Amino acid sequence: MVYSVITIANKFIDLAKEEYLTNMQLQKMVYIAHGFNLALRDTKLYYEDTRAWNFGPVVPELYEELRQYGSNQVTEKINTPPNTAEQLDDGSLKIIEAVYDNYKQYSGTQLSNLTHQDNTPWSKSWESNKYGVIPADDIYEFYKNNHI
C-alpha cells in the first residue's frame, strides 16, 4: 500500500521513542524506506513527491510539518486530521523497522552525506533540476541495483 508521508514519519517517531530523531534524520529515513520499498515491493511507500534540495532528498509536505524544529530533535508526533489514521501493512512496517534499526545511529548530516554521493538519485536530479522532483524510477533503480 501507499501512505501519507506523515504516517511514515510518525512511525519512525514511534520507533525512536525517547531517543528522538532530528528533522533531517526523519527526512532521510523516510526517503531511504521509500527507496527500499520501491526496490523490494515495486511500489511507492508514500504518495508525495521527493525533491532534490540542498541537503538531500526532501518531501516538502513533511518539511513543512517539521520546520518548527529546525535542526533540533522532533519531540512529538505530527498531528493528522481526525479519522485519517492509516494502519501500515506488515511489509511496509518491516521495511520501516529495518531502516530504523540500520540507520538510527547516523546523524542527520551523515544520512544527508549518504544521499549526496555520486550517482545517487539526488545527485542526478540536483545536477539537472535543482529543487525538482526526484523521479521514483531513479530511486527504484538505485535501491534495486545498489542495496538489495
Side-chain angles (χ1 to χ4, degrees), residues 59-73:
V59 180
E61 293 85 351
L62 180 57
Y63 176 80
E64 286 303 317
E65 293 293 334
L66 298 175
R67 76 181 318 167
Q68 67 189 358
Y69 294 102
S71 61
N72 298 315
Q73 296 175 329

Side-chain angles (χ1 to χ4, degrees), residues 129-146:
N129 188 19
K130 285 180 174 56
Y131 300 97
V133 172
I134 301 173
D137 288 347
D138 289 354
I139 300 168
Y140 167 84
E141 289 296 327
F142 178 78
Y143 278 87
K144 190 79 166 174
N145 295 329
N146 296 295

Side-chain angles (χ1 to χ4, degrees), residues 1 7 11-14 18 22 24 26 32 35 37 58 60 65 70 72 81 85-86 91 95 120 130 146:
M1 288 190 60
T7 297
K11 185 59 190 174
F12 278 110
I13 293 168
D14 281 345
E18 299 301 316
T22 65
M24 189 178 292
L26 267 173
I32 292 166
N37 201 73
V58 170
E65 293 293 334
N72 298 315
E86 298 175 297
I95 287 173
T120 61
K130 285 180 174 56
N146 296 295

Side-chain angles (χ1 to χ4, degrees), residues 3 19 28 32 42 78 101 104 128 143:
Y3 304 95
E19 295 171 18
K28 303 316 173 232
I32 292 166
D42 294 320
I78 302 164
D101 288 342
K104 65 185 176 186
S128 63
Y143 278 87

Side-chain angles (χ1 to χ4, degrees), residues 1 8 10 18 26 29 39 70 75 86 102 108 110 117 121 132 137:
M1 288 190 60
I8 307 307
N10 277 339
E18 299 301 316
L26 267 173
M29 284 190 197
T75 57
E86 298 175 297
N102 285 290
Q110 289 171 317
Q117 295 176 7
D137 288 347

Side-chain angles (χ1 to χ4, degrees), residues 87-105:
Q87 287 296 110
L88 294 166
D89 65 87
D90 287 342
S92 299
L93 188 56
K94 286 178 183 175
I95 287 173
I96 292 166
E97 290 170 343
V99 167
Y100 179 75
D101 288 342
N102 285 290
Y103 292 90
K104 65 185 176 186
Q105 72 273 13

